Amino acid sequence: MIPRSAIETAYCLLHQKLRVFQYSNLPWQRDDIEYVVGNFVADINPDLYAHISRGRFDFLLCHDSFESDMQSAVESLESLLSEH
């Protein structure tokens, strides 16, 4: 079972970072967001990460798919929040 607090924390962080990332034209700012999210992934609830990543080991950690991974994660977290 995934604690609601873990879902809420992940949603708040990833939703906010996704919005900034989508509208930023500053390469350093986008790099900083990838760094912050990467550090967050290292500490996220393992069951929650397994759920939102759908088994992808590089989810939210790969530069080439980072933005689409963030969008997918936010959508998955919104779904989880509506279930709890």
Side-chain angles (χ1 to χ4, degrees):
M1 177 147 171
I2 303 167
R4 183 173 175 84
S5 61
I7 300 168
E8 290 172 345
T9 299
Y11 178 78
C12 288
L13 178 92
L14 296 176
H15 182 269
Q16 185 235 12
K17 298 302 179 196
L18 174 62
R19 296 299 172 246
V20 174
F21 190 88
Q22 288 175 321
Y23 296 105
S24 177
N25 295 330
L26 304 170
W28 64 264
Q29 186 176 41
R30 292 171 68 101
D31 289 344
D32 284 355
I33 290 169
E34 285 190 52
Y35 177 77
V36 166
V37 170
N39 283 332
F40 178 72
V41 165
D43 294 329
I44 196 170
N45 176 293
D47 293 330
L48 179 57
Y49 184 73
H51 180 81
I52 65 173
S53 70
R54 295 178 179 92
R56 278 194 38 224
F57 70 93
D58 65 345
F59 188 74
L60 295 170
L61 301 172
C62 177
H63 177 76
D64 292 336
S65 62
F66 183 74
E67 187 171 357
S68 63
D69 287 353
M70 289 268 289
Q71 185 65 47
S72 175
V74 168
E75 290 169 3
S76 292
L77 292 163
E78 285 173 347
S79 177
L80 282 172
L81 284 171
S82 69
E83 294 172 7
H84 282 83

PDB file of all heavy atoms in Angstrom, residues 3-12 15 48 51 73-84:
ATOM      1  N   PRO A   3       1.289   5.115   0.895  1.00  0.00           N
ATOM      2  CA  PRO A   3       0.686   6.146   1.742  1.00  0.00           C
ATOM      3  C   PRO A   3       0.238   7.360   0.917  1.00  0.00           C
ATOM      4  O   PRO A   3       0.925   7.787  -0.013  1.00  0.00           O
ATOM      5  CB  PRO A   3       1.805   6.545   2.703  1.00  0.00           C
ATOM      6  CG  PRO A   3       2.850   5.495   2.579  1.00  0.00           C
ATOM      7  CD  PRO A   3       2.686   4.869   1.240  1.00  0.00           C
ATOM      8  N   ARG A   4      -0.913   7.889   1.263  1.00  0.00           N
ATOM      9  CA  ARG A   4      -1.426   9.074   0.561  1.00  0.00           C
ATOM     10  C   ARG A   4      -0.426  10.229   0.630  1.00  0.00           C
ATOM     11  O   ARG A   4      -0.270  10.978  -0.327  1.00  0.00           O
ATOM     12  CB  ARG A   4      -2.776   9.499   1.131  1.00  0.00           C
ATOM     13  CG  ARG A   4      -3.360  10.692   0.369  1.00  0.00           C
ATOM     14  CD  ARG A   4      -4.786  11.015   0.805  1.00  0.00           C
ATOM     15  NE  ARG A   4      -5.278  12.209   0.162  1.00  0.00           N
ATOM     16  CZ  ARG A   4      -5.829  12.248  -1.053  1.00  0.00           C
ATOM     17  NH1 ARG A   4      -5.959  11.146  -1.749  1.00  0.00           N
ATOM     18  NH2 ARG A   4      -6.270  13.385  -1.556  1.00  0.00           N
ATOM     19  N   SER A   5       0.255  10.363   1.742  1.00  0.00           N
ATOM     20  CA  SER A   5       1.226  11.457   1.884  1.00  0.00           C
ATOM     21  C   SER A   5       2.348  11.342   0.859  1.00  0.00           C
ATOM     22  O   SER A   5       2.836  12.359   0.348  1.00  0.00           O
ATOM     23  CB  SER A   5       1.798  11.504   3.299  1.00  0.00           C
ATOM     24  OG  SER A   5       2.484  10.297   3.593  1.00  0.00           O
ATOM     25  N   ALA A   6       2.754  10.120   0.514  1.00  0.00           N
ATOM     26  CA  ALA A   6       3.794   9.928  -0.504  1.00  0.00           C
ATOM     27  C   ALA A   6       3.279  10.349  -1.881  1.00  0.00           C
ATOM     28  O   ALA A   6       4.007  10.965  -2.669  1.00  0.00           O
ATOM     29  CB  ALA A   6       4.244   8.468  -0.532  1.00  0.00           C
ATOM     30  N   ILE A   7       2.022  10.036  -2.157  1.00  0.00           N
ATOM     31  CA  ILE A   7       1.414  10.420  -3.433  1.00  0.00           C
ATOM     32  C   ILE A   7       1.303  11.942  -3.512  1.00  0.00           C
ATOM     33  O   ILE A   7       1.649  12.553  -4.530  1.00  0.00           O
ATOM     34  CB  ILE A   7       0.028   9.762  -3.601  1.00  0.00           C
ATOM     35  CG1 ILE A   7       0.153   8.242  -3.573  1.00  0.00           C
ATOM     36  CG2 ILE A   7      -0.642  10.230  -4.889  1.00  0.00           C
ATOM     37  CD1 ILE A   7      -1.182   7.514  -3.435  1.00  0.00           C
ATOM     38  N   GLU A   8       0.827  12.562  -2.445  1.00  0.00           N
ATOM     39  CA  GLU A   8       0.659  14.014  -2.417  1.00  0.00           C
ATOM     40  C   GLU A   8       1.991  14.734  -2.578  1.00  0.00           C
ATOM     41  O   GLU A   8       2.097  15.710  -3.324  1.00  0.00           O
ATOM     42  CB  GLU A   8      -0.025  14.445  -1.129  1.00  0.00           C
ATOM     43  CG  GLU A   8      -1.469  14.045  -1.047  1.00  0.00           C
ATOM     44  CD  GLU A   8      -2.099  14.298   0.306  1.00  0.00           C
ATOM     45  OE1 GLU A   8      -1.362  14.528   1.297  1.00  0.00           O
ATOM     46  OE2 GLU A   8      -3.345  14.246   0.389  1.00  0.00           O
ATOM     47  N   THR A   9       3.010  14.252  -1.879  1.00  0.00           N
ATOM     48  CA  THR A   9       4.333  14.874  -1.975  1.00  0.00           C
ATOM     49  C   THR A   9       4.879  14.776  -3.395  1.00  0.00           C
ATOM     50  O   THR A   9       5.360  15.761  -3.957  1.00  0.00           O
ATOM     51  CB  THR A   9       5.313  14.209  -0.983  1.00  0.00           C
ATOM     52  OG1 THR A   9       4.817  14.387   0.347  1.00  0.00           O
ATOM     53  CG2 THR A   9       6.705  14.800  -1.092  1.00  0.00           C
ATOM     54  N   ALA A  10       4.786  13.597  -3.966  1.00  0.00           N
ATOM     55  CA  ALA A  10       5.277  13.400  -5.338  1.00  0.00           C
ATOM     56  C   ALA A  10       4.497  14.263  -6.320  1.00  0.00           C
ATOM     57  O   ALA A  10       5.080  14.889  -7.216  1.00  0.00           O
ATOM     58  CB  ALA A  10       5.184  11.925  -5.726  1.00  0.00           C
ATOM     59  N   TYR A  11       3.193  14.309  -6.162  1.00  0.00           N
ATOM     60  CA  TYR A  11       2.366  15.107  -7.060  1.00  0.00           C
ATOM     61  C   TYR A  11       2.736  16.585  -6.975  1.00  0.00           C
ATOM     62  O   TYR A  11       2.918  17.242  -8.008  1.00  0.00           O
ATOM     63  CB  TYR A  11       0.878  14.918  -6.761  1.00  0.00           C
ATOM     64  CG  TYR A  11       0.022  15.780  -7.646  1.00  0.00           C
ATOM     65  CD1 TYR A  11      -0.221  15.415  -8.964  1.00  0.00           C
ATOM     66  CD2 TYR A  11      -0.519  16.972  -7.180  1.00  0.00           C
ATOM     67  CE1 TYR A  11      -0.987  16.213  -9.791  1.00  0.00           C
ATOM     68  CE2 TYR A  11      -1.275  17.775  -8.000  1.00  0.00           C
ATOM     69  CZ  TYR A  11      -1.511  17.402  -9.311  1.00  0.00           C
ATOM     70  OH  TYR A  11      -2.251  18.218 -10.126  1.00  0.00           O
ATOM     71  N   CYS A  12       2.846  17.105  -5.770  1.00  0.00           N
ATOM     72  CA  CYS A  12       3.165  18.523  -5.603  1.00  0.00           C
ATOM     73  C   CYS A  12       4.503  18.870  -6.250  1.00  0.00           C
ATOM     74  O   CYS A  12       4.610  19.855  -6.986  1.00  0.00           O
ATOM     75  CB  CYS A  12       3.191  18.905  -4.117  1.00  0.00           C
ATOM     76  SG  CYS A  12       1.561  18.941  -3.368  1.00  0.00           S
ATOM     77  N   HIS A  15       4.329  18.101 -10.281  1.00  0.00           N
ATOM     78  CA  HIS A  15       3.415  19.021 -10.976  1.00  0.00           C
ATOM     79  C   HIS A  15       4.061  20.399 -11.108  1.00  0.00           C
ATOM     80  O   HIS A  15       4.059  21.003 -12.189  1.00  0.00           O
ATOM     81  CB  HIS A  15       2.085  19.102 -10.220  1.00  0.00           C
ATOM     82  CG  HIS A  15       1.075  19.971 -10.889  1.00  0.00           C
ATOM     83  ND1 HIS A  15       0.966  21.311 -10.615  1.00  0.00           N
ATOM     84  CD2 HIS A  15       0.144  19.687 -11.829  1.00  0.00           C
ATOM     85  CE1 HIS A  15       0.002  21.824 -11.357  1.00  0.00           C
ATOM     86  NE2 HIS A  15      -0.518  20.863 -12.102  1.00  0.00           N
ATOM     87  N   LEU A  48       5.514   3.397  -5.000  1.00  0.00           N
ATOM     88  CA  LEU A  48       4.967   4.489  -5.799  1.00  0.00           C
ATOM     89  C   LEU A  48       5.750   4.640  -7.100  1.00  0.00           C
ATOM     90  O   LEU A  48       5.165   4.772  -8.176  1.00  0.00           O
ATOM     91  CB  LEU A  48       4.980   5.799  -5.008  1.00  0.00           C
ATOM     92  CG  LEU A  48       4.454   7.034  -5.734  1.00  0.00           C
ATOM     93  CD1 LEU A  48       3.015   6.816  -6.216  1.00  0.00           C
ATOM     94  CD2 LEU A  48       4.547   8.249  -4.826  1.00  0.00           C
ATOM     95  N   HIS A  51       4.865   1.985  -9.526  1.00  0.00           N
ATOM     96  CA  HIS A  51       3.551   2.216 -10.114  1.00  0.00           C
ATOM     97  C   HIS A  51       3.614   3.268 -11.223  1.00  0.00           C
ATOM     98  O   HIS A  51       3.112   3.035 -12.321  1.00  0.00           O
ATOM     99  CB  HIS A  51       2.547   2.649  -9.042  1.00  0.00           C
ATOM    100  CG  HIS A  51       1.182   2.908  -9.579  1.00  0.00           C
ATOM    101  ND1 HIS A  51       0.292   1.895  -9.825  1.00  0.00           N
ATOM    102  CD2 HIS A  51       0.581   4.052  -9.951  1.00  0.00           C
ATOM    103  CE1 HIS A  51      -0.817   2.415 -10.316  1.00  0.00           C
ATOM    104  NE2 HIS A  51      -0.668   3.733 -10.404  1.00  0.00           N
ATOM    105  N   ALA A  73       3.960  10.888 -15.204  1.00  0.00           N
ATOM    106  CA  ALA A  73       3.964  10.751 -13.744  1.00  0.00           C
ATOM    107  C   ALA A  73       2.864  11.594 -13.113  1.00  0.00           C
ATOM    108  O   ALA A  73       2.140  11.118 -12.229  1.00  0.00           O
ATOM    109  CB  ALA A  73       5.328  11.154 -13.185  1.00  0.00           C
ATOM    110  N   VAL A  74       2.728  12.822 -13.561  1.00  0.00           N
ATOM    111  CA  VAL A  74       1.693  13.706 -13.010  1.00  0.00           C
ATOM    112  C   VAL A  74       0.311  13.117 -13.275  1.00  0.00           C
ATOM    113  O   VAL A  74      -0.545  13.098 -12.382  1.00  0.00           O
ATOM    114  CB  VAL A  74       1.836  15.142 -13.578  1.00  0.00           C
ATOM    115  CG1 VAL A  74       0.620  15.995 -13.257  1.00  0.00           C
ATOM    116  CG2 VAL A  74       3.101  15.794 -13.031  1.00  0.00           C
ATOM    117  N   GLU A  75       0.081  12.612 -14.473  1.00  0.00           N
ATOM    118  CA  GLU A  75      -1.218  11.999 -14.786  1.00  0.00           C
ATOM    119  C   GLU A  75      -1.479  10.775 -13.908  1.00  0.00           C
ATOM    120  O   GLU A  75      -2.595  10.598 -13.398  1.00  0.00           O
ATOM    121  CB  GLU A  75      -1.280  11.632 -16.263  1.00  0.00           C
ATOM    122  CG  GLU A  75      -1.343  12.838 -17.173  1.00  0.00           C
ATOM    123  CD  GLU A  75      -1.132  12.510 -18.646  1.00  0.00           C
ATOM    124  OE1 GLU A  75      -0.995  11.308 -18.992  1.00  0.00           O
ATOM    125  OE2 GLU A  75      -1.090  13.462 -19.455  1.00  0.00           O
ATOM    126  N   SER A  76      -0.466   9.936 -13.715  1.00  0.00           N
ATOM    127  CA  SER A  76      -0.618   8.756 -12.859  1.00  0.00           C
ATOM    128  C   SER A  76      -0.906   9.151 -11.418  1.00  0.00           C
ATOM    129  O   SER A  76      -1.749   8.537 -10.747  1.00  0.00           O
ATOM    130  CB  SER A  76       0.649   7.897 -12.893  1.00  0.00           C
ATOM    131  OG  SER A  76       0.823   7.317 -14.144  1.00  0.00           O
ATOM    132  N   LEU A  77      -0.215  10.169 -10.946  1.00  0.00           N
ATOM    133  CA  LEU A  77      -0.412  10.626  -9.570  1.00  0.00           C
ATOM    134  C   LEU A  77      -1.797  11.241  -9.383  1.00  0.00           C
ATOM    135  O   LEU A  77      -2.434  11.032  -8.351  1.00  0.00           O
ATOM    136  CB  LEU A  77       0.691  11.614  -9.175  1.00  0.00           C
ATOM    137  CG  LEU A  77       2.077  10.974  -9.054  1.00  0.00           C
ATOM    138  CD1 LEU A  77       3.164  12.046  -9.067  1.00  0.00           C
ATOM    139  CD2 LEU A  77       2.163  10.117  -7.797  1.00  0.00           C
ATOM    140  N   GLU A  78      -2.268  11.994 -10.384  1.00  0.00           N
ATOM    141  CA  GLU A  78      -3.625  12.548 -10.310  1.00  0.00           C
ATOM    142  C   GLU A  78      -4.649  11.420 -10.203  1.00  0.00           C
ATOM    143  O   GLU A  78      -5.599  11.512  -9.425  1.00  0.00           O
ATOM    144  CB  GLU A  78      -3.920  13.411 -11.541  1.00  0.00           C
ATOM    145  CG  GLU A  78      -3.234  14.750 -11.510  1.00  0.00           C
ATOM    146  CD  GLU A  78      -3.398  15.541 -12.802  1.00  0.00           C
ATOM    147  OE1 GLU A  78      -3.836  14.984 -13.832  1.00  0.00           O
ATOM    148  OE2 GLU A  78      -3.056  16.736 -12.780  1.00  0.00           O
ATOM    149  N   SER A  79      -4.441  10.376 -10.960  1.00  0.00           N
ATOM    150  CA  SER A  79      -5.337   9.224 -10.925  1.00  0.00           C
ATOM    151  C   SER A  79      -5.315   8.568  -9.546  1.00  0.00           C
ATOM    152  O   SER A  79      -6.364   8.224  -8.989  1.00  0.00           O
ATOM    153  CB  SER A  79      -4.945   8.225 -12.007  1.00  0.00           C
ATOM    154  OG  SER A  79      -5.745   7.088 -11.949  1.00  0.00           O
ATOM    155  N   LEU A  80      -4.122   8.387  -9.002  1.00  0.00           N
ATOM    156  CA  LEU A  80      -4.004   7.789  -7.662  1.00  0.00           C
ATOM    157  C   LEU A  80      -4.686   8.654  -6.608  1.00  0.00           C
ATOM    158  O   LEU A  80      -5.338   8.125  -5.701  1.00  0.00           O
ATOM    159  CB  LEU A  80      -2.531   7.593  -7.290  1.00  0.00           C
ATOM    160  CG  LEU A  80      -1.821   6.417  -7.911  1.00  0.00           C
ATOM    161  CD1 LEU A  80      -0.329   6.468  -7.596  1.00  0.00           C
ATOM    162  CD2 LEU A  80      -2.413   5.104  -7.424  1.00  0.00           C
ATOM    163  N   LEU A  81      -4.532   9.961  -6.715  1.00  0.00           N
ATOM    164  CA  LEU A  81      -5.154  10.855  -5.740  1.00  0.00           C
ATOM    165  C   LEU A  81      -6.679  10.777  -5.806  1.00  0.00           C
ATOM    166  O   LEU A  81      -7.346  10.851  -4.774  1.00  0.00           O
ATOM    167  CB  LEU A  81      -4.686  12.298  -5.960  1.00  0.00           C
ATOM    168  CG  LEU A  81      -3.281  12.609  -5.479  1.00  0.00           C
ATOM    169  CD1 LEU A  81      -2.859  13.999  -5.942  1.00  0.00           C
ATOM    170  CD2 LEU A  81      -3.167  12.488  -3.977  1.00  0.00           C
ATOM    171  N   SER A  82      -7.209  10.619  -6.995  1.00  0.00           N
ATOM    172  CA  SER A  82      -8.670  10.545  -7.119  1.00  0.00           C
ATOM    173  C   SER A  82      -9.205   9.218  -6.570  1.00  0.00           C
ATOM    174  O   SER A  82     -10.376   9.136  -6.194  1.00  0.00           O
ATOM    175  CB  SER A  82      -9.095  10.745  -8.576  1.00  0.00           C
ATOM    176  OG  SER A  82      -8.696   9.647  -9.371  1.00  0.00           O
ATOM    177  N   GLU A  83      -8.359   8.192  -6.531  1.00  0.00           N
ATOM    178  CA  GLU A  83      -8.773   6.890  -5.985  1.00  0.00           C
ATOM    179  C   GLU A  83      -8.741   6.865  -4.470  1.00  0.00           C
ATOM    180  O   GLU A  83      -9.435   6.055  -3.868  1.00  0.00           O
ATOM    181  CB  GLU A  83      -7.838   5.782  -6.514  1.00  0.00           C
ATOM    182  CG  GLU A  83      -7.934   5.536  -7.997  1.00  0.00           C
ATOM    183  CD  GLU A  83      -6.865   4.576  -8.495  1.00  0.00           C
ATOM    184  OE1 GLU A  83      -6.131   4.003  -7.672  1.00  0.00           O
ATOM    185  OE2 GLU A  83      -6.770   4.408  -9.713  1.00  0.00           O
ATOM    186  N   HIS A  84      -7.894   7.687  -3.859  1.00  0.00           N
ATOM    187  CA  HIS A  84      -7.737   7.662  -2.390  1.00  0.00           C
ATOM    188  C   HIS A  84      -8.695   8.609  -1.748  1.00  0.00           C
ATOM    189  O   HIS A  84      -8.863   9.629  -1.656  1.00  0.00           O
ATOM    190  CB  HIS A  84      -6.298   7.976  -1.999  1.00  0.00           C
ATOM    191  CG  HIS A  84      -5.381   6.819  -2.188  1.00  0.00           C
ATOM    192  ND1 HIS A  84      -4.818   6.503  -3.407  1.00  0.00           N
ATOM    193  CD2 HIS A  84      -4.944   5.870  -1.340  1.00  0.00           C
ATOM    194  CE1 HIS A  84      -4.060   5.443  -3.290  1.00  0.00           C
ATOM    195  NE2 HIS A  84      -4.115   5.034  -2.034  1.00  0.00           N
TER     196      HIS A  84
END
